[in-house]
Amino acid sequence: MLRLRSLSGALAGTILALAASTAHAEGELQTAAATTKGFAVRAIINAGAKEIPQGVSFSLHRLNGRGEAELAAHASGGIAEFDLPQGQYLLTTAYGAALKQELVNALPATNHTVNLNAGEITLSVIPGVGRPPLKEEISWEIQTFGRDSEGNRHVLHRVTGANPHLVLPAGWYFVAADYQGRRLTHTIEVGAGNRFDYTLVQQGN
C-alpha cells in the first residue's frame, strides 16, 4: 500500500487521499470439485475471494503442433461451461482492465478457477485542497510504471469519466488525467484484493 510521504512539493499532480479497504475473502480453491458435465471456468479477483458473478470474458484457443492457436470457444458472464474435446488449451480471462493467460487441461466434469491477482481503484481530480471533485469528463490513461529501452512508457488502458472504477492486476502504474487543457500525472499502486481510492490534486490556477 502506498505511503504518502512525499505529498508536499515533490510532484505537480499530488495524490491527496488514498483509502484502502480489503476485499471480501470467502471462496474458492484453485481447482474445485467436479460438479458439471463440461469444463467449467470461473474467475476470482484474488486468492480467497468470492467468484466474480458477471462481466468476465473467457476464450479458449486450441494449440496445434505448429505453435499456432485456434479459437475453440468463447463465453462471457460469470461461470462459463465448455463442451470441448479433452486436451490442452490457452485460456484467456479478461475482467475490466485485468487480463490473464494460462495453459489449462480441459477435462470433462471439472471446474477451473482463474485467480486474476487483481485489485480495484477509483480515480478523481479536485481543483484544489478542500474542493469537491470535478464532475466533468476526464480522459484517463493507465500506463506502465517502468520505461522501455527508449525511455518510453506504454498505455495499458484508457477510460473517460469523472470518477472511473477500474480492476487492474496488482502492481505499480503511472496515471495521467487530461481535462481543460491540463494534464495531471502520478504513480499509483494496485494491491491484490484491495480497493484504493485515488484523488489527484490540481496545483495552481
Side-chain angles (χ1 to χ4, degrees):
M1 142 178 205
L2 278 179
R3 291 179 172 81
L4 306 182
R5 294 180 296 179
S6 59
L7 287 183
S8 56
L11 295 170
T14 306
I15 293 180
L16 176 66
L18 171 60
S21 60
T22 305
H24 296 294
E26 292 180 12
E28 304 284 341
L29 297 175
Q30 273 298 303
T31 303
T35 58
T36 60
K37 294 182 179 180
F39 177 62
V41 183
R42 68 195 71 198
I44 56 176
I45 288 183
N46 65 288
K50 292 181 179 180
E51 65 189 42
I52 302 170
Q54 59 185 4
V56 188
S57 173
F58 303 100
S59 62
L60 287 163
H61 287 77
R62 176 179 285 279
L63 304 176
N64 59 32
R66 300 184 299 276
E68 300 170 340
E70 301 171 349
L71 181 63
H74 173 81
S76 59
I79 300 175
E81 185 173 349
F82 300 98
D83 184 12
L84 295 167
Q86 181 175 327
Q88 190 174 68
Y89 295 83
L90 176 65
L91 170 63
T92 302
T93 305
Y95 178 64
L99 185 144
K100 182 174 182 178
Q101 290 186 314
E102 57 187 319
L103 290 175
V104 296
N105 288 315
L107 301 174
T110 59
N111 293 341
H112 178 75
T113 300
V114 180
N115 180 2
L116 293 172
N117 193 38
E120 302 174 81
I121 63 168
T122 64
L123 299 167
S124 61
V125 170
I126 59 175
V129 177
R131 303 279 298 278
L134 297 178
K135 295 183 179 180
E136 65 190 72
E137 291 290 280
I138 301 171
S139 296
W140 300 89
E141 287 184 353
I142 309 298
Q143 302 178 11
T144 56
F145 175 70
R147 300 175 184 269
D148 61 21
S149 59
E150 298 179 351
N152 299 315
R153 290 188 170 96
H154 297 274
V155 177
L156 301 173
H157 192 69
R158 289 186 174 93
V159 64
T160 301
N163 185 216
H165 170 267
L166 297 171
V167 177
L168 292 163
W172 291 86
Y173 299 89
F174 190 77
V175 171
D178 293 301
Y179 66 101
Q180 300 177 352
R182 297 175 178 267
R183 166 165 279 214
L184 298 182
T185 61
H186 210 287
T187 300
I188 65 169
E189 180 188 13
V190 177
N194 293 328
R195 172 170 166 159
F196 293 163
D197 298 320
Y198 289 100
T199 301
L200 278 65
V201 185
Q202 177 181 308
Q203 302 293 319
N205 296 324

